[in-house]
Amino acid sequence: MSDYHLHLHPHSDDDRPAPPVGEYPPGYIEAYLEGAAHRGVTELGFTEHLYRCVEALPVLGTFWEDGTPEDTARFTEQMISE
């Protein structure tokens, strides 16, 4: 079994505990790997939404200001302001 759609930070409607956006404390990624292996996952790929990456700002501009769902807009603004 494989999983190639795994985010290191949950969506805003997910109540899983997580470190602050952009922080990856020691053991955080390893915990994902151990959990996946325990569930029989043999391949794991970490992905992230482009709008969550401050490096994408020059390409994306301020797309969230033009009709984007409110939760996505709020999260995007939070991501780029840190």
Side-chain angles (χ1 to χ4, degrees), residues 5-70:
H5 187 154
L6 180 65
H7 301 289
L8 292 172
H9 294 285
H11 288 268
S12 60
D13 60 350
D14 189 330
D15 61 356
R16 288 180 294 152
V21 173
E23 293 184 21
Y24 308 97
Y28 186 63
I29 295 173
E30 289 80 2
Y32 274 89
L33 299 174
E34 290 170 7
H38 179 74
R39 291 171 177 83
V41 175
T42 57
E43 294 182 26
L44 189 62
F46 292 93
T47 60
E48 197 50 81
H49 294 285
L50 187 59
Y51 68 83
R52 291 182 174 183
C53 303
V54 68
E55 295 83 0
L57 188 57
V59 175
L60 296 176
T62 56
F63 78 92
W64 63 89
E65 294 176 352
D66 187 27
T68 298
E70 186 177 326

